[in-house]
Amino acid sequence: MRVLMLTPYLPYPLLSGGQIRTYNLLKNLSKKHDITLFALIKDETEQAYITELEKYCTKVVVFKRSEKPFTVKNIITTGFSSFPFLVIRNLVSEVRDAVKKELQSGQYDLIHAETFYMMPNIPETTIPVLLVEQTIEYLGYLSYAHSSKFWFLKPFFYIDIHKIRSWEEFFWRTCSRLVVMSAEDKTFLEETAKNLKIKRIDVVENGVDVEYFQQTKKKLPKNPTVLFVGTFKWLPNVEAVRYLIQKVWPLISSKLPTAQLHIVGSSPTDEIYRLAKQDDHIVVSGRVEDIREAYATAHVLLAPIFSGKGTRFKVLEALATSTPVVATHLAVEGLDIEQGKHVIIANSAEELAQNTVRVLQDPALQKRLGKNGMELVFKKYNWKNISAKLDRIYSEVGKSINNE
């Protein structure tokens, strides 16, 4: 099939969950399909990565959006538009014209849009549109608004969240097929959006490059080491680190004074650096060249996520490297895991700290969780199997349109 894929980011380098997902899907789907990629970039230097994507795409075309989201233009435009800020910051006028021209010049069988906020770039067309929702966006922003300390901005937050929900639901209803990341997301949509008459919802989980991560050789340091991994452009990760340092870490360090906390991920905020300075045992590394090194030197991954519906990549990566995981229920939501077998789930600061200390003090438990986690990922969450699901959906959508 000939597929036009639209993404709000360039799927390389692999810095975020969305980039990891799209890159691995492209790598596997390119064996059966001719894929043209239209992607947004924030900096011209990103064009250096196009060569890597051309290995798997027939053509790659990039469009520059504003480098920083909160520009005066974006804010003012949002105020006078029915679109929410999330759409406005990813709306580039050249994209819609380019998509229209591309569809006219090529015999495309399918349009694949990653995230609902790429949908406004698609002109009216008879070509089927597959919308892939990596997360239910309005829920994540609603959670942030509820917990925000900026009370004076909350009315503006809620107005914008209403816009997000309205447009999300519109595109769920109008796309040819909708894909979500987990059974929980599918159930949520089925129960809360019954009146939307969504045509069909499929689940295509996230995966992990098991061959790549299984090359990780553990080299655990003498001091017990706790790891947190996540990109800090995603607000729930910032909230999680704040909670970890302020609420959970003091309880862990009181039991294990030599314990180390290693925080890894691109774009750490000033707040994260400031919080980390309060304790010499906390290290913020930011982006690392090879994330496997972080897992190799960690006794346990701690994921105290309480908001948003993320992509769960870091949990899957940890499991693939035999790194034990202690996490909140939300952090592992959508994964087919068993409590106590693959991960340990805890939902309060006291429980998170207590279970993290238990793992750190019990090498046998570390080994058992690591072994079970790796076996689960290899069996159910490798990208080859995940891509096969999406390949089947591509074929079904194409056939259903041709038969009409």
Side-chain angles (χ1 to χ4, degrees), residues 74-85 87-88 91 159-160 163 167:
N74 286 347
I75 293 171
I76 293 176
T77 303
T78 300
F80 288 93
S81 174
S82 64
F83 284 137
F85 184 80
V87 171
I88 294 298
L91 200 60
I159 290 172
D160 203 59
K163 290 183 181 181
W167 281 106

Side-chain angles (χ1 to χ4, degrees), residues 184-230:
E184 283 81 0
D185 282 359
K186 179 179 179 180
T187 299
F188 176 85
L189 289 177
E190 290 174 337
E191 292 178 351
T192 62
K194 293 178 180 178
N195 62 328
L196 296 181
K197 298 180 181 179
I198 300 173
K199 297 178 180 67
R200 180 169 170 179
I201 305 172
D202 292 276
V203 176
V204 179
E205 304 92 339
N206 285 315
V208 66
D209 188 339
V210 291
E211 290 81 8
Y212 177 78
F213 281 98
Q214 284 183 331
Q215 297 173 20
T216 305
K217 302 297 182 184
K218 282 288 187 180
K219 41 188 177 183
L220 297 175
K222 180 181 178 181
N223 293 330
T225 301
V226 178
L227 176 67
F228 179 93
V229 179

